[in-house]
Amino acid sequence: MDKRYEVYALADPYFYETPDRLRLQGADRALPEYETAGRPVPEGWRADSNGEWLNLTPLDAQGEPRQGPRQGWKIHASTTRAYAEKTAGVVWDYCVPRGIPFKFVPGPHLLHLRNTKYAGRDISGKFATIYPADEESCRRILEELGESLEGVEGPYILTDLRWGEGPLYVRYGAFARRMVVNERGTLVSAIEDSEGRLVPDNREPAFQVPDWVTLPDFLKPHLDARNATTVTDLPYRFEKALHFSNGGGVYRGVDTRDGRKVVLKEGRPHAGLASDGADAIARLEREKAALERLSGLGVAPEVRDWFTVGDHRFLAMEYVEGRALNVFFAERHPLLAPDPDPRAVAEYAEWVRRIVTAVEKAVAAVHERGVVFNDLHMFNIMVAPDEESVTLIDFEAATSVEESGSQLLAHPGFWAPMDRTGTDIDRYALACLRIAMFLPVTTLFVVDRGKAAHLADVIAGQFPTLPRDFLDEAVAEILRGYDGGAPAIVRSGVPVPGDWPRSRDSLVGGILATATPDRDDRLFPGDVAQFAIGGGLGLAHGAAGVLYALAAAGAERYEEGERWLLDHTHPVPPGTALGLYDGIAGIAYALEGLGHPQRALDLVENLLKENWQRLAGHLHGGLAGVGLVLDHLARATGESALADRAAEAARIVAARIVDVRENDRAADSKRRAGLMRGLSGPALFLLRRYERNGDPELLQLAVDALRLDLARCRTARDGGLQVDEGQRTMPYLGDGSVGIGLVIDDLLRYAPHDDLRQAREGILTAATSRFYVQPGLFEGRAGMILHLARTTTPGATGDRLAAQIDALGWLSMTYEGQLAFPGHQMMRLSTDLGTGAAGCLLALAAALGDAGGAHLPFLPPLRRP
């Protein structure tokens, strides 16, 4: 579970939104801001808000932002809710008269979100940021402002070096927004190294100084003080970090006094906040009290110790042998295969009944001791080595039965409705567990609890030996007090995905019903990535991708949407990414296809003014995608200069493939594989170049690139070939083996290699499993449908394709009476191409439509639908 998505699920019940759009309960006005945030902007200053921050910038004589350093030692101020108003005022009053640029979090709800348990550890505690002009200015600010803020408390900022014992911290990093692609192919904040090259601005949750930067003398005593705090004098040996959150770490260790294994859980003061404001230490105290109350039951760990290191609190507990229940899903679940063995299906259903019964008995014993667990889910249930006995862990949200109110902290897929209190909270979670053990998609219930009845019907059909009352009891508990009646997919009479063209019309209607042409940040709701600069414009998660899918599926033109995209790319926001799926190149491609060639050329002209040659080689945001667009526009518009740039991109990509071929070590490489961020995207680019000029070297390099990606794959127990990412294997279109298969299909027309044909067979198996956890195009079932509709692998169509189309309906939802789909992490609906309804529409159109063969850019149909 990517915990960022919980924050973006707070402001709207249907779609991911920035948290600054939170409203007061039952009111039309926004949540309150600090008094300082409402001050008039000083003369000679400019104020800008980007949702999370209020930025204050001094202006020069021409009224432009005063130019300062682009990187250096910057200062962060940490604070708590109690001290925030004072801190904001002190920082303002110090910086404005001295002309020092700064920013701060403008309201208490945003400050709380930065310090919750699953907030990013790289942003925890950062309330204000101050940008000194040089090292001497940094020293002076730390001394003078530190004195003014003496006594202010706040979370420890993990990325920074603390100044004394106060709330100020310092680190070397970026002041201006500059971006670079890191080793994982992701666009990240950048700083210049000693040779002027852009390199990632490392924001790992530990203080680090870049190799070429010297720590100023005035900071050395503070680094020494930081390093003086250790755990070497404790009677415990820390062996392995099991988990990190903003509230602290969880470690496996050994009690050196008796050699027994222990779990050591850390609580950081003022960090890891629950919804009631309790910090990690308060929650750790709750856990200790609950475990002591449950001592001797055998269903929860025993407390062994309670101690402090620095200002961090630690709870030592007995180590529980076994594995978390969620681990067993990947190992045991029979639907993770194309043709499940009926005996395995029946055995799994019976095992689930035994495990759930054991969990229910454990929870009942907890209740008998007067404790409400409050955070029951599959990650907090340990299954013993006998794979039958269970122990409950992680009681930091637990309360007594007498004091229990609504939940304060919970997994989104098991979060009880607000009307549930006390032991009813755990009963709701137990009901969700019955569903989740078969279909782990109960996060859908935060959008519509009525989906539970539909999922129960699906489960009953897939597990015919499972007694129906096992599911019906769960549905009754989940829907208790629910006023929505039958499941939304049935209640609204919405067509199932395979009911084409009714499903097309319903999907199009649902997408257009979400459009917000009055907004500037996005036109269609989608993934949280659209809230990055330019993210609401591009192919993967923005307007360009939705408009592209609508056109490909044969929908009527949405002219207002096209005008919106034209208006919001004139000009493109500074800092917008450059690539095919994440930025300018993809927007240009979509607009040219919609009949706006001049705007496409204007966009590409701006792209070519940037350091585009230094992009990573991949398709999503790198040179492969940019090169494909340059080549396409050169042919579509006759601009020969673009053809030259496309050839330049091809030379760079080819050289990089040669370098990987000569130096890659698949066993220990961190290189990603797949269509979007692996070498399959460059292979596609070089293959298209080969089709233009017939250069056999390009064809061979495309083969080599695909083989390098295939070297990152392994065969699963069902025979499916998937990308091996270490902790998991990936079959998907975006970063998995199916995306590799798309390019293999094209390449086999020119280079019929036996090893590629064999790999394609394994990829077909990976694309025909009975269950995929998400519906989306890049990381879900829609990508499988697109591949099966397009591939020439024998046996791909017919029943296999029909089964995938039918199963896409398992996760369908409704919006405004129309067919809709949840996005990434399944907590809100999405309409974008990569994760939402537009991607599902494109896949279904490729499989069922007759509008010329819907397809992804540069991957045209290999056969007619």
Side-chain angles (χ1 to χ4, degrees):
M1 175 64 67
D2 186 334
K3 295 297 181 178
R4 293 178 305 154
Y5 285 78
E6 290 189 41
V7 173
Y8 285 90
L10 294 173
D12 189 279
Y14 294 105
F15 305 112
Y16 292 121
E17 280 286 6
T18 52
D20 61 300
R21 287 183 172 266
L22 278 166
R23 317 297 291 181
L24 285 171
Q25 187 71 27
D28 292 329
R29 57 193 179 92
L31 292 171
E33 293 188 334
Y34 297 117
E35 181 181 336
T36 306
R39 291 184 184 183
V41 179
E43 185 176 354
W45 286 73
R46 186 173 76 186
D48 299 292
S49 176
N50 67 355
E52 289 188 276
W53 296 99
L54 179 61
N55 300 270
L56 277 295
T57 309
L59 306 176
D60 59 22
Q62 287 72 44
E64 296 296 326
R66 190 185 305 165
Q67 294 300 310
R70 306 186 77 178
Q71 63 191 53
W73 292 98
K74 59 183 177 182
I75 298 168
H76 289 114
S78 178
T79 195
T80 63
R81 189 183 185 101
Y83 290 100
E85 189 69 79
K86 172 186 176 180
T87 304
V90 168
V91 170
W92 180 297
D93 292 339
Y94 181 87
C95 292
V96 168
R98 294 166 177 80
I100 303 170
F102 67 101
K103 65 181 180 181
F104 66 97
V105 177
H109 62 292
L110 293 174
L111 175 62
H112 176 85
L113 293 176
R114 297 180 77 82
N115 294 323
T116 57
K117 179 177 180 180
Y118 289 110
R121 299 172 72 223
D122 59 328
I123 66 170
S124 177
K126 295 177 181 177
F127 173 71
T129 308
I130 302 158
Y131 302 96
D134 50 38
E135 287 187 7
E136 176 55 30
S137 175
C138 179
R139 181 195 60 79
R140 185 170 59 252
I141 295 169
L142 287 167
E143 291 176 349
E144 295 174 353
L145 190 58
E147 184 175 345
S148 299
L149 291 173
E150 186 175 354
V152 169
E153 296 180 329
Y156 194 102
I157 298 178
L158 298 171
T159 60
D160 290 26
L161 177 64
R162 189 176 190 179
W163 177 260
E165 298 298 319
L168 296 184
Y169 296 76
V170 62
R171 70 177 288 265
Y172 189 94
F175 288 12
R177 178 180 171 84
R178 291 187 288 179
M179 308 299 289
V180 71
V181 177
N182 66 10
E183 64 178 10
R184 297 286 289 170
T186 304
L187 202 64
V188 297
S189 180
I191 54 177
E192 288 184 19
D193 66 11
S194 58
E195 298 180 8
R197 298 173 302 188
L198 287 180
V199 297
D201 180 10
N202 193 333
R203 298 184 181 183
E204 292 297 313
F207 177 65
Q208 301 177 58
V209 181
D211 295 340
W212 66 91
V213 175
T214 301
L215 185 75
D217 289 340
F218 65 86
L219 293 178
K220 289 180 180 178
H222 303 274
L223 180 60
D224 292 340
R226 176 184 178 277
N227 293 336
T229 300
T230 69
V231 296
T232 55
D233 294 332
L234 294 175
Y236 299 100
R237 183 172 67 250
F238 289 71
E239 293 190 328
K240 181 181 179 180
L242 302 176
H243 173 69
F244 283 110
S245 73
N246 191 24
V250 181
Y251 310 90
R252 187 186 69 200
V254 171
D255 188 330
T256 57
R257 295 167 295 191
D258 57 16
R260 295 175 65 181
K261 288 192 288 187
V262 294
V263 169
L264 300 149
K265 192 168 185 178
E266 174 188 22
R268 300 202 305 126
H270 312 302
L273 305 181
S275 59
D276 63 346
D279 68 3
I281 290 179
R283 289 188 289 102
L284 203 57
E285 290 171 342
R286 292 174 181 171
E287 180 161 18
K288 175 176 177 289
L291 292 179
E292 289 174 340
R293 197 166 182 175
L294 300 174
S295 180
L297 275 181
V299 300
E302 297 288 338
V303 173
R304 289 180 58 87
D305 204 352
W306 178 249
F307 58 91
T308 301
V309 178
D311 56 358
H312 292 206
R313 195 69 56 82
F314 284 83
L315 174 65
M317 299 169 281
E318 70 168 326
Y319 181 81
V320 176
E321 297 287 352
R323 295 182 294 168
L325 181 56
N326 65 292
V327 173
F328 289 86
F329 185 87
E331 293 183 358
R332 282 179 173 262
H333 204 291
L335 299 191
L336 299 179
D339 299 303
D341 181 348
R343 185 172 58 184
V345 171
E347 289 174 351
Y348 180 79
E350 182 57 32
W351 179 75
V352 167
R353 290 180 65 198
R354 294 198 303 271
I355 285 292
V356 169
T357 297
V359 175
E360 290 172 344
K361 288 180 178 178
V363 171
V366 168
H367 291 173
E368 288 174 3
R369 286 283 179 94
V371 174
V372 179
F373 193 3
N374 269 327
D375 193 18
L376 179 72
H377 55 80
M378 286 193 284
F379 293 79
N380 284 350
I381 300 168
M382 294 294 292
V383 181
D386 63 8
E387 299 190 359
E388 298 288 342
S389 309
V390 300
T391 303
L392 307 180
I393 63 171
D394 199 359
F395 279 79
E396 63 183 47
T399 60
S400 68
V401 171
E402 302 80 25
E403 299 172 346
S404 180
S406 297
Q407 272 179 305
L408 302 175
L409 193 71
H411 186 287
F414 295 79
W415 195 296
M418 294 299 293
D419 62 344
R420 308 295 173 93
T421 60
T423 55
D424 280 351
I425 291 172
D426 291 343
R427 293 189 183 97
Y428 179 88
L430 287 169
C432 290
L433 182 65
R434 292 193 181 195
I435 302 294
M437 288 297 293
F438 295 98
L439 293 178
V441 295
T442 53
T443 48
L444 295 176
F445 300 167
V446 301
V447 180
D448 184 1
R449 266 193 288 156
K451 188 67 179 175
H454 182 216
L455 293 180
D457 288 340
V458 172
I459 295 167
Q462 296 298 313
F463 294 87
T465 63
L466 183 68
R468 184 62 200 232
D469 60 357
F470 182 86
L471 299 171
D472 290 342
E473 290 169 2
V475 171
E477 177 61 35
I478 292 167
L479 296 185
R480 182 160 58 87
Y482 175 69
D483 60 4
I489 193 67
V490 175
R491 181 180 67 243
S492 301
V494 174
V496 296
D499 184 9
W500 192 269
R502 287 186 65 234
S503 58
R504 177 200 61 196
D505 296 341
S506 189
L507 273 170
V508 170
I511 290 170
L512 296 181
T514 70
T516 53
D518 57 316
R519 288 178 59 162
D520 289 324
D521 58 340
R522 54 95 162 150
L523 176 60
F524 298 102
D527 191 71
V528 302
Q530 67 180 189
F531 298 115
I533 292 179
L537 302 173
L539 272 181
H541 305 300
V546 177
L547 294 173
Y548 172 83
L550 291 173
E556 293 185 11
R557 291 186 67 164
Y558 178 41
E559 294 185 2
E560 187 177 13
E562 291 181 35
R563 287 196 300 272
W564 186 95
L565 186 57
L566 290 168
D567 290 344
H568 287 79
T569 54
H570 186 63
V572 172
T576 299
L578 306 181
L580 173 59
Y581 282 98
D582 67 351
I584 294 174
I587 301 168
Y589 176 81
L591 285 175
E592 191 277 331
L594 292 168
H596 306 285
Q598 188 55 53
R599 174 56 57 79
L601 290 174
D602 293 343
L603 289 171
V604 168
E605 181 181 354
N606 289 332
L607 182 158
L608 293 174
K609 293 176 182 178
E610 304 292 336
N611 291 325
W612 59 275
Q613 299 95 333
R614 298 172 66 177
L615 290 170
H618 58 65
L619 184 70
H620 187 274
L623 274 177
V626 169
L628 283 164
V629 172
L630 292 172
D631 204 2
H632 169 77
L633 291 178
R635 291 181 294 106
T637 66
E639 291 286 339
S640 59
L642 297 184
D644 294 338
R645 299 288 74 76
E648 181 182 359
R651 288 193 295 272
I652 298 171
V653 168
R656 292 181 183 175
I657 291 175
V658 170
D659 180 63
V660 175
R661 184 182 64 191
E662 301 301 323
N663 300 300
D664 186 59
R665 298 292 181 269
D668 56 6
S669 173
K670 294 181 180 180
R671 176 178 56 79
R672 297 179 74 169
L675 178 65
M676 292 295 169
R677 295 175 181 83
L679 289 176
S680 296
L684 175 63
F685 177 34
L686 296 188
L687 179 61
R688 296 293 174 244
R689 294 289 297 175
Y690 165 75
E691 292 173 336
R692 309 281 178 262
N693 60 27
D695 183 349
E697 184 178 353
L698 294 179
L699 181 62
Q700 184 57 51
L701 283 173
V703 172
D704 293 344
L706 287 171
R707 284 174 171 161
L708 285 164
D709 261 8
L710 290 172
R712 303 290 298 157
C713 298
R714 68 179 174 88
T715 301
R717 66 176 185 267
D718 65 354
L721 190 68
Q722 301 188 26
V723 171
D724 186 358
E725 293 192 342
Q727 297 295 321
R728 60 181 182 176
T729 58
M730 297 286 281
Y732 299 117
L733 183 149
D735 296 314
S737 56
V738 163
I740 303 173
L742 288 173
V743 185
I744 289 177
D745 270 317
D746 277 51
L747 190 138
L748 284 174
R749 292 184 295 171
Y750 308 104
H753 295 285
D754 289 341
D755 61 328
L756 298 184
R757 289 187 185 279
Q758 184 177 356
R760 192 173 66 160
E761 294 293 331
I763 292 169
L764 175 64
T765 300
T768 53
S769 287
R770 190 71 62 87
F771 176 72
Y772 299 98
V773 75
Q774 298 189 129
L777 185 64
F778 290 176
E779 295 186 50
R781 195 182 295 271
M784 309 306 171
I785 292 171
L786 181 68
H787 174 62
L788 294 175
R790 181 180 187 273
T791 184
T792 54
T793 310
T797 54
D799 291 345
R800 284 178 164 177
L801 177 58
Q804 293 300 321
I805 294 172
D806 177 68
L808 184 64
W810 297 359
L811 303 180
S812 61
M813 306 288 282
T814 63
Y815 181 75
E816 297 289 333
Q818 305 289 355
L819 186 59
F821 284 96
H824 193 55
Q825 301 293 315
M826 312 278 283
M827 295 170 61
R828 291 293 183 267
L829 304 179
S830 170
T831 64
D832 69 28
L833 180 70
T835 70
C840 295
L841 174 66
L842 186 76
L844 291 171
L848 304 171
D850 57 0
H855 61 276
L856 279 175
F858 309 108
L859 284 162
L862 297 178
R863 59 182 172 203
R864 294 291 299 168

